[in-house]
Every structure is written in C-alpha cells, then in structure tokens.
Amino acid sequence: FPHSSQSMKTIASTKISGCKVEPESKGWGLFVHEWGTTNRQLRLSWTDEGSACHELFSTTNLVPYDTWVSVGFSLSRKQDRAVIFLNNDAIADTRREIGSYQKQGQSLSMSNVGVANRQVASAALHGFFIGAHAPQQGDAAREQCHAFIGYLGDVRIVHEAFEEWADSLALIRTSQKKFGDVKLRPSTQVIHFSFKNG
C-alpha cells in the first residue's frame, strides 16, 4: 500500500500523475479524492501544452463508501468538452458549466476550460492503466501511481464522442445489459467500482 495512495485513488489513466508537462504526462486520469485529501470527489484530469493538471470535478456529488457505483466520462477535443458521470447523473460538464474546474490547484471559471488542445497519450508510450496512473521513472515503490484500493468491474471503452451527454448516460445505464445490445462502436470510459473507506 503506497503511502501516497492514502489519499488519491486512481480508477484508470493513460498518463503519469503530477502537473509537469512531459511526454509521459500526455493523456487523462480518472480518480477519487483530490490530492492530499479523502474528500470523495470524482476527478477527471487531462494535459495540454501548459499543464498536466487540468481537473474537472463536483464538490457536492461525492463517491459513496461501501457502495457499487457507475462512473464514466467523455473527453472530446472536437467538442471542446469534458463530462463526468456518477451513477445516473452528469455531475460535471464543461459545456453546461456544471461542477468545478481547477488548473494546477487553482480554481477557475468554466469559461477558462480548454479541452480542444488536450494532449493525447500514445498507447505505445505507456498504455492504458486500470487502478493506477502510469508508472514513473525513478519511482520504484510506485508511490506516484496512486493505486486504487477497492473493487473494479465492467470496464468499457467507447471510441466516439457523444453529441449529447444523455447518449453517454445511456451507455452507463446499460450496465446490466450485454454491451453488444448498445449499438455503439467500441473516447468515453465507463467503469463500475466499489470504494472502501480508508
């Protein structure tokens, strides 16, 4: 149990953690808890040329303990939009100005959010990680991976941005159905998890 994981718990990521922009920081990360806290916020982080710490989240719709929940997000450069889902609700949406936004720990207005210039991770460079951020050089103990402690299941990846958030929500609601029934092409992520206190 890495010491740094006593707060932030990574659900999935294509990047290393931290705010410094470097080749390994390109991509996104979905995690629970603001860094250095146990505040139960579901956070989506992404990188552009100026920062690897753009974060979208809700301060009021929090991840419950000891309960299975569905989480998901849509991150679209074309639509210049990010949306986070918790169960059946869009809890943060840059276009609809729902939720909160921070850049490198500084709270900013949603009008400052820029998703269109986000940097996309190279699968050949570091891949797709479930339950951790990508490993960093020099971090042999993997403390900066911010390992998830709990249960994950039913991970889905859809390589298309939805025009309407309701379309993304429909994918989450199909968690009890066979994925083939949804009629979507397999960059929206849906992950179900149960989060334990601690």
Side-chain angles (χ1 to χ4, degrees):
F1 181 69
H3 181 267
S4 63
S5 289
Q6 291 179 4
S7 64
M8 193 168 126
K9 306 280 193 249
T10 306
I11 298 167
S13 183
T14 62
K15 67 190 263 331
I16 62 172
S17 64
C19 294
K20 183 179 177 184
V21 177
E22 51 191 300
E24 295 83 11
S25 68
K26 293 179 181 179
W28 55 264
L30 182 66
F31 56 92
V32 180
H33 298 319
E34 178 180 8
W35 187 85
T37 75
T38 55
N39 64 11
R40 298 185 294 133
Q41 294 175 354
L42 180 61
R43 287 183 167 237
L44 175 63
S45 173
W46 66 91
T47 303
D48 67 12
E49 62 186 26
S51 174
C53 286
H54 294 273
E55 293 182 4
L56 181 66
F57 57 97
S58 172
T59 59
T60 57
N61 295 293
L62 305 177
V63 176
Y65 288 118
D66 297 321
T67 303
W68 281 99
V69 297
S70 297
V71 301
F73 70 90
S74 177
L75 190 57
S76 172
R77 288 169 51 171
K78 180 180 177 183
Q79 296 175 20
D80 195 22
R81 184 179 191 186
V83 184
I84 301 175
F85 301 97
L86 178 61
N87 287 326
N88 292 325
D89 298 312
I91 63 168
D93 184 339
T94 58
R95 183 183 296 162
R96 295 171 53 214
E97 297 190 2
I98 298 169
S100 300
Y101 167 68
Q102 289 182 343
K103 179 179 178 182
Q104 293 195 200
Q106 179 183 2
S107 294
L108 298 171
S109 164
M110 285 286 190
S111 63
N112 293 306
V113 178
V115 178
N117 294 322
R118 74 179 180 90
Q119 296 182 339
V120 178
S122 165
L125 184 60
H126 47 228
F128 175 73
F129 292 85
I130 297 174
H133 272 77
Q136 297 184 34
Q137 286 187 337
D139 182 25
R142 300 292 189 243
E143 290 183 1
Q144 298 308 310
C145 290
H146 304 287
F148 184 85
I149 308 299
Y151 302 99
L152 298 170
D154 198 15
V155 177
R156 302 175 188 193
I157 302 171
V158 180
H159 295 283
E160 80 182 51
F162 298 104
E163 289 296 325
E164 296 298 324
W165 69 270
D167 294 335
S168 294
L169 191 55
L171 179 61
I172 292 172
R173 288 182 178 147
T174 63
S175 64
Q176 303 302 319
K177 295 181 181 180
K178 192 169 85 175
F179 187 64
D181 296 341
V182 183
K183 297 193 180 8
L184 294 173
R185 291 187 319 228
S187 65
T188 298
Q189 319 296 323
V190 176
I191 301 173
H192 302 273
F193 69 95
S194 177
F195 184 65
K196 295 286 186 186
N197 190 1

